[in-house]
Amino acid sequence: MSLLSELSELVGRAFGDIGLDPSLGQVQVSDRPELAQFQCNGALAGAKSAGRPPRELAEEVAAKLRAESSMLEKVEVAGPGFINLSVTDATLASFVNATADDPRLGVRRAEPAQVVLVDYAGPNVAKAMHVGHIRATIIGDSLARLFRFLGHLVIRDPHFGDWGLQMGQVIAAIEERWPDLPYFHSDGPYPDESPVTLADLQELYPISAARTETDEAWADRARQITVDLQQGHPGYRALWRHMKAVSEESQRRDFADLGVEFDLWYGESDVADHLGPLVDRLRRKGLATESDGALILPVVEEGDNRELPPLILETSKGAYLYGTTDLATLDHRVHDLGVNVALYVVDARQSDHFYVLFRAARKAGIAPEEVVLEHIRFGTMNGPDGKPFKTREGGVVALADLIEMITEKARQRLQEADIAQAYPAAEREEIARQVGVAALKFGDLINNRTSDYLFDLDRFSSFEGKTGPYLQYGVVRIQSIERRATEMGLQAGPVQPPGLDVERNLMLALLRLPEVAERAAELRAPNHLAEYAFELTATWNRFYETCRIIDESDPARRGSWITLAGLTRRVLVTVLELLGIEVPERM
Ligand code: ARG
């Protein structure tokens, strides 16, 4: 059991002994570490129902704790009724030794395990991925890693956008530019090889999407093509397969560069055959209504304090949009994959879509109440002008270009800091890639998920401060200390009760992982992990300033410190792994 949960149980029992609810005994890390290591605020929370002053309750609980526990070094009541606690050095050492012996580092497996699905935003396949997709990928990947670490079964699905209006928009533009391509007039055969490249799609899609807003005839054409594509027009289908193939190839490369993997490679079109039957079912249930020629599923409820659009099941032309594909996909996820928790990691601007989708799914009985549906919204990554990050010319930045940009910056940084310069070129290049990706991911994950943040290449890639490279370098330094110790034949030994504050603080920090991981999962907030990794590294650095392991002559102390070094490395590597950050062997 973790130190915090054991303390909570202990304090809970003391509350129980004086006739109050044991859950009041919840203990947390102290807000004022100079006063005590831990605190419990339960007396304040319980005062009202007990009808007694909080300070009095706190004193009574404190007296029980002092009398009964040998774990506690100090029990004090402060302010209006906080109970401040510190544990004995022997207790600390014994918990740290237990953690060092545990392959899970003290982290419990979740009970019961759930089937958690992570949907990564649904990048549209009419183009390469761009910076708008970076956050979903980084945050989604970290959450998937965290839930898996906690023992859940995780299914990762990028859910490509490959069946809606965006396909009609780009096909319309290709048709206009190259009307002679076989896709547009003959009945085939259609070539396997196509002259249309990813760069063409990239160029045409945004222009066509913008034109849809202003040019009614053009919008109509795009809508018609979407319907024809969905209904099986062979030429459009051939072109569509080709567009999907070229986009997916580049998307796979981008994901691989970021070290992100998936269990499924599904897209909207994978439910194409289920859309008609689903819509029929909803019609029979009386849930679908006609409105202006379209078929909708209204989701308004009494007491709504804002106007909600309906879910559009079928447009007046007979096309399906992503409301319908999302609904059918959810049906598949719940009924065929057995998903209990579905997390949609998508830009905050799509909040309404998900609000409507989830309501529709409840109404239609597709997702019963016990299935958790959540939009994991996030803010935007902004450029120096405070607007979504763009190229100097104002265009969208392709993900591949962004990765190259940050890798180049990492190469420079390594050179400036004279790190890894003597290693073989291939290794140095691999380190630069790992440092670049770490800079990008940590720069994102350290922020509160829902806030916007500024993309700052210089700051993210620095070896100092709250950055990915700082943490990587910290771990690499511990690795090299351990290597030196091994070379000198120095042995690790059991962790001894701490003699110095820097040791005590390191041990306390090492014992925090279980609660940090649980909290991060509960709030779907990887920034808790990122913050913790930074604090632990800084705490280690303060420890190491005084505790020079190799120079220590007392073998018991030295052995204890070697074990602390190894445990610090394991905890940090674990947390960085949860953030999707790799640590080089050496730097
Ligand atoms: N592809 C849609 C877009 O780019 C988003 C789809 C949202 N749905 C989902 N399951 N991720 O706007």
Side-chain angles (χ1 to χ4, degrees):
M1 206 184 339
S2 75
L3 176 56
L4 260 186
S5 46
E6 192 142 334
L7 283 174
S8 296
E9 223 164 77
L10 194 73
V11 182
R13 245 177 287 136
F15 271 99
D17 286 347
I18 65 165
L20 295 178
D21 183 354
S23 72
L24 293 169
Q26 196 66 45
V27 171
Q28 62 192 64
V29 171
S30 173
D31 291 336
R32 302 193 48 194
E34 69 284 7
L35 296 184
Q37 296 164 350
F38 302 97
Q39 70 185 70
C40 170
N41 304 344
L44 296 155
K48 192 149 188 221
S49 67
R52 294 175 54 192
R55 178 98 203 176
E56 202 181 293
L57 289 183
E59 290 291 2
E60 213 167 313
V61 171
K64 289 247 174 252
L65 290 170
R66 281 187 208 109
E68 277 162 33
S69 176
S70 55
M71 270 177 83
L72 299 171
E73 169 81 39
K74 186 168 89 178
V75 182
E76 278 171 7
V77 176
F82 300 112
I83 303 168
N84 285 337
L85 307 166
S86 291
V87 301
T88 65
D89 288 341
T91 302
L92 263 188
S94 99
F95 272 90
V96 173
N97 279 313
T99 305
D101 286 341
D102 178 3
R104 295 188 49 83
L105 301 167
V107 178
R108 283 172 291 245
R109 260 172 217 288
E111 281 294 340
Q114 312 265 33
V115 181
V116 180
L117 181 124
V118 182
D119 177 315
Y120 293 67
N124 288 337
V125 302
K127 56 186 173 190
M129 295 213 294
H130 57 80
V131 298
H133 301 121
I134 187 97
R135 295 212 71 190
T137 307
I138 293 176
I139 297 168
D141 183 50
S142 179
L143 290 176
R145 289 165 184 266
L146 176 59
F147 280 98
R148 190 163 285 178
F149 179 59
L150 292 176
H152 297 291
L153 187 82
V154 176
I155 306 174
R156 301 163 297 183
D157 179 7
H159 192 72
F160 292 112
D162 62 0
W163 206 234
L165 187 60
Q166 75 276 23
M167 303 321 284
Q169 287 170 337
V170 68
I171 293 174
I174 295 170
E175 185 178 37
E176 186 184 56
R177 180 165 303 179
W178 297 290
D180 296 333
L181 285 178
Y183 307 118
F184 305 119
H185 34 94
S186 68
D187 286 334
Y190 303 104
D192 286 337
E193 289 295 307
S194 169
V196 182
T197 65
L198 185 62
D200 296 328
L201 300 181
Q202 200 112 286
E203 181 200 335
L204 293 174
Y205 173 61
I207 300 174
S208 179
R211 191 166 157 195
T212 310
E213 303 289 317
T214 53
D215 179 344
E216 199 34 50
W218 182 258
D220 220 48
R221 181 82 199 117
R223 286 189 208 113
Q224 189 56 51
I225 292 175
T226 308
V227 177
D228 294 343
L229 168 73
Q230 292 181 350
Q231 293 183 350
H233 182 294
Y236 293 162
R237 285 282 176 106
L239 175 55
W240 172 80
R241 272 192 299 277
H242 169 71
M243 297 196 311
K244 221 169 117 72
V246 293
S247 325
E248 239 187 68
E249 187 197 291
S250 106
Q251 285 164 337
R252 276 183 194 259
R253 225 177 310 120
D254 289 344
F255 285 132
D257 285 346
L258 289 173
V260 174
E261 291 169 8
F262 298 106
D263 306 291
L264 303 174
W265 283 84
Y266 285 174
E268 294 164 353
S269 66
D270 286 285
V271 291
D273 294 341
H274 301 283
L275 300 172
L278 173 70
V279 170
D280 284 344
R281 207 167 88 207
L282 298 175
R283 215 196 295 254
R284 277 198 308 276
K285 279 190 164 180
L287 292 168
T289 348
E290 303 270 342
S291 164
D292 287 335
L295 197 65
I296 61 169
L297 195 161
V299 298
V300 282
E301 280 168 18
E302 225 170 291
D304 280 352
N305 52 14
R306 67 192 172 114
E307 219 168 308
L308 284 175
L311 186 122
I312 299 171
L313 290 169
E314 210 179 302
T315 67
S316 56
K317 277 190 184 294
Y320 300 114
L321 306 181
Y322 69 80
T324 319
T325 52
D326 269 345
L327 205 55
T329 302
L330 183 57
D331 195 23
H332 167 66
R333 287 171 176 174
V334 173
H335 296 104
D336 303 329
L337 302 178
V339 167
N340 323 100
V341 179
L343 305 177
Y344 294 80
V345 188
V346 185
D347 195 307
R349 285 170 294 191
Q350 299 222 13
S351 292
D352 275 356
H353 167 70
F354 288 104
Y355 200 82
V356 169
L357 173 69
F358 298 163
R359 266 209 189 165
R362 302 285 189 216
K363 268 192 139 86
I366 284 172
E369 286 299 332
E370 59 276 13
V371 174
V372 176
L373 302 176
E374 270 180 50
H375 175 203
I376 307 299
R377 76 196 71 205
F378 52 80
T380 56
M381 176 175 112
N382 288 333
D385 59 353
K387 300 214 187 79
F389 186 68
K390 294 257 166 65
T391 60
R392 215 167 305 152
E393 294 75 36
V396 287
V397 183
L399 196 48
D401 294 341
L402 187 76
I403 295 171
E404 180 42 39
M405 196 155 112
I406 194 114
T407 309
E408 175 53 28
K409 189 79 196 178
R411 288 184 198 108
Q412 278 174 29
R413 288 288 193 183
L414 288 165
Q415 199 173 11
E416 281 163 23
D418 196 21
I419 295 174
Q421 296 307 298
Y423 300 159
E427 184 180 352
R428 203 178 343 134
E429 182 54 21
E430 174 61 6
I431 293 173
R433 188 193 65 80
Q434 291 174 331
V435 169
V437 170
L440 193 63
K441 289 186 176 178
F442 196 86
D444 186 299
L445 293 172
I446 189 66
N447 302 288
N448 187 318
R449 165 164 66 71
T450 53
S451 338
D452 298 343
Y453 72 93
L454 182 75
F455 178 72
D456 185 340
L457 206 52
D458 281 321
R459 190 161 57 80
F460 292 0
S461 62
S462 169
F463 278 99
E464 267 143 59
K466 266 190 200 178
T467 71
Y470 168 76
L471 298 181
Q472 282 175 316
Y473 196 52
V475 180
V476 166
R477 285 206 328 247
I478 302 177
Q479 286 169 177
S480 90
I481 295 165
E482 290 183 270
R483 219 175 288 137
R484 278 257 304 290
T486 310
E487 280 161 16
M488 294 170 65
L490 306 178
Q491 306 282 324
V495 171
Q496 311 280 314
L500 305 164
D501 267 344
V502 284
E503 266 183 296
R504 203 168 284 118
N505 291 340
L506 178 61
M507 293 190 194
L508 284 165
L510 287 167
L511 294 175
R512 285 179 51 204
L513 176 65
E515 281 75 24
V516 170
E518 278 167 24
R519 188 96 182 118
E522 192 182 295
L523 299 175
R524 288 80 162 103
N527 62 311
H528 287 259
L529 292 165
E531 205 61 67
Y532 172 63
F534 174 76
E535 283 164 24
L536 179 57
T537 305
T539 308
W540 162 264
N541 286 340
R542 280 191 293 271
F543 164 84
Y544 190 65
E545 265 167 38
T546 339
C547 303
R548 309 305 285 195
I549 300 177
I550 309 282
D551 304 335
E552 174 58 43
S553 52
D554 173 4
R557 260 189 137 192
R558 192 178 57 217
S560 167
W561 290 352
I562 294 176
T563 301
L564 284 177
L567 181 57
T568 306
R569 169 188 41 84
R570 281 167 61 208
V571 172
L572 281 173
V573 167
T574 301
V575 176
L576 289 177
E577 225 162 63
L578 295 177
L579 299 174
I581 294 175
E582 294 171 277
V583 177
E585 277 291 303
R586 56 174 194 174
M587 266 166 103

